Amino acid sequence: MILSIESSCDDSAIAITEISTCRLLFHKKISQELEHSAYGGVVPELAARLHAEALPKILEECKPYFDKLKAVAVTSSPGLAVTLIEGVTMAKAISVALSIPLIGVNHLIGHIYSLFIEKETQFPLTVLLVSGGHTQVMEVESLHKITTVAKSMDDSFGESFDKVAKMMGLGYPGGPLIEKLAMDGDRKKYNFTIPLMQTPKLAFSYSGLKNAVRLAVENGTKEDYKDIAASFEHVATAHIIHKLKKYFAITPPKNFAIVGGASANLYLRSQIETLLKPHAASLLLSELKYCSDNAAMIGRVAVEMYNQEMFSSLDTLDITPRSQL
Ligand code: KG4
Ligand code: ZN
């Protein structure tokens, strides 16, 4: 079995995965949403302190598995430096105490493998990752062959929802709050500009849209919030659809997946389903509980890495907060 730890942002999670079957045997996550909500976003130092409290509590519950562990895996990149270090330090201590190898996992690859928790891998795959830290499209052929074809030049899709929620004083995380508010709103009421329409570049940008929404919030009243939320969600999604359409014209998709915390967004899902129809491409999604950050996805990647003996040493495993795919 492999014990895996996730602490790249504001979720403390540990999983136990059986190597021979990829079966998830244990998973527990303690989220810090409530604690960060008052600040409208994640406060890194507070997050690190909460990981230091939560991770040992979850680890206590894993003790019955200790004598069966063959490796310990941990998210080592990318993420917040002060929170990544909490998980990596714990993983190193477990590696020494139990004399088992250490596996450093990339969080973004973790999101891709969230599709295959308890499932066989299915590659090649075109993947849209939409999370709080990333908005990118990747061609995934295998664990070793991942090519990024488009990514954000500034804010991410999920982050823009967080910022809009913060402007409206709704709390954190903003994604589910804005999605709920948007359901009663008019998507056409505010004519926000779809980003990067004038350039053929395959890239994403959310900073301009965020500022346009800020002006609408400042000039509006609370009664307008639902229409602002709906119009924002529509344009934030239309931006992705517009760029994907351009990409699919050159590279038609066969299998397409949406992963990451914001892949829970139903409007985005439905718009992508419509876009895929003429291509007869299948749409893969992870179970809702594994869309947002979790340790089960890290454990799933770790099984692949264990089978290929992709181990790190205590000296060389370091955090790389800004690593990219
Ligand atoms: O993958 P994740 O848990 O953490 C990162 O790796 O960043 O994603 C969290 C992000 C947050 O920005 C959150 O607001 C967004 O995903 N999110 C959503 C929804 N649910 C979560 N964004 C839009 N619609 C949602 N329903
Ligand atoms: Zn994530």
Side-chain angles (χ1 to χ4, degrees), residues 8 107 111 131-132 260-261 291-293 297:
S8 66
H107 181 82
H111 274 301
S131 66
C291 288
S292 58
D293 290 350
M297 66 187 196

Side-chain angles (χ1 to χ4, degrees), residues 263-275:
S263 68
N265 187 283
L266 296 179
Y267 187 65
L268 175 69
R269 284 182 176 198
S270 71
Q271 295 296 301
I272 287 187
E273 267 168 20
T274 308
L275 178 69

Side-chain angles (χ1 to χ4, degrees), residues 7-273:
S7 70
S8 66
C9 191
D10 60 340
D11 293 296
S12 318
I14 301 184
I16 307 274
T17 309
E18 191 171 56
I19 297 167
S20 58
T21 59
C22 298
R23 204 155 54 95
L24 182 65
L25 302 176
F26 171 91
H27 182 241
K28 184 151 184 183
K29 166 163 125 171
I30 298 178
S31 294
Q32 310 172 353
E33 289 171 357
L34 246 143
E35 286 85 348
H36 296 292
S37 190
Y39 305 97
V42 178
V43 182
E45 277 69 25
L46 173 61
R49 191 153 48 76
L50 294 169
H51 284 306
E53 282 170 28
L55 287 173
K57 273 192 206 151
I58 308 176
L59 189 66
E60 200 59 35
E61 293 183 41
C62 300
K63 275 193 174 156
Y65 299 99
F66 274 16
D67 60 345
K68 297 185 191 73
L69 294 181
K70 295 278 184 231
V72 54
V74 62
T75 303
S76 56
S77 66
L80 300 169
V82 289
T83 64
L84 284 169
I85 203 80
E86 293 292 333
V88 169
T89 307
M90 174 177 262
K92 286 186 176 181
I94 295 170
S95 167
V96 172
L98 302 181
S99 296
I100 52 174
L102 193 57
I103 299 173
V105 178
N106 180 300
H107 181 82
L108 309 186
I109 300 181
H111 274 301
I112 296 171
Y113 275 80
S114 68
L115 297 163
F116 309 122
I117 296 169
E118 302 174 25
K119 249 187 258 163
E120 286 288 311
T121 53
Q122 186 187 335
F123 296 127
L125 200 54
T126 309
V127 179
L128 169 69
L129 166 65
V130 272
S131 66
H134 296 82
T135 305
Q136 63 190 65
V137 180
M138 296 165 281
E139 287 297 347
V140 186
E141 284 177 49
S142 70
L143 178 61
H144 304 285
K145 197 142 191 259
I146 301 173
T147 313
T148 297
V149 293
K151 63 181 167 190
S152 179
M153 307 192 304
D154 41 58
D155 291 358
S156 73
F157 180 80
E159 188 183 4
S160 68
F161 278 71
D162 295 334
K163 300 244 172 89
V164 170
K166 189 177 180 182
M167 290 170 205
M168 295 180 179
L170 298 179
Y172 171 86
L177 299 166
I178 293 293
E179 180 173 28
K180 192 159 174 264
L181 190 62
M183 278 169 185
D184 299 323
D186 178 355
R187 298 195 186 280
K188 296 276 154 71
K189 185 78 181 273
Y190 288 81
N191 199 13
F192 300 128
T193 309
I194 300 175
L196 305 185
M197 284 292 274
Q198 309 308 330
T199 163
K201 199 172 166 179
L202 279 176
F204 302 105
S205 167
Y206 283 96
S207 61
L209 174 60
K210 185 182 71 186
N211 287 330
V213 173
R214 189 186 304 282
L215 283 178
V217 170
E218 281 169 8
N219 292 325
T221 67
K222 281 201 164 157
E223 276 67 54
D224 300 317
Y225 284 5
K226 61 180 189 315
D227 294 331
I228 297 175
S231 304
F232 156 73
E233 187 181 48
H234 169 67
V235 171
T237 305
H239 176 29
I240 291 182
I241 298 297
H242 170 71
K243 290 298 174 187
L244 281 179
K245 209 181 249 175
K246 283 223 158 348
Y247 180 57
F248 290 170
I250 316 158
T251 319
K254 287 193 186 74
N255 295 312
F256 190 84
I258 324 173
V259 299
S263 68
N265 187 283
L266 296 179
Y267 187 65
L268 175 69
R269 284 182 176 198
S270 71
Q271 295 296 301
I272 287 187
E273 267 168 20

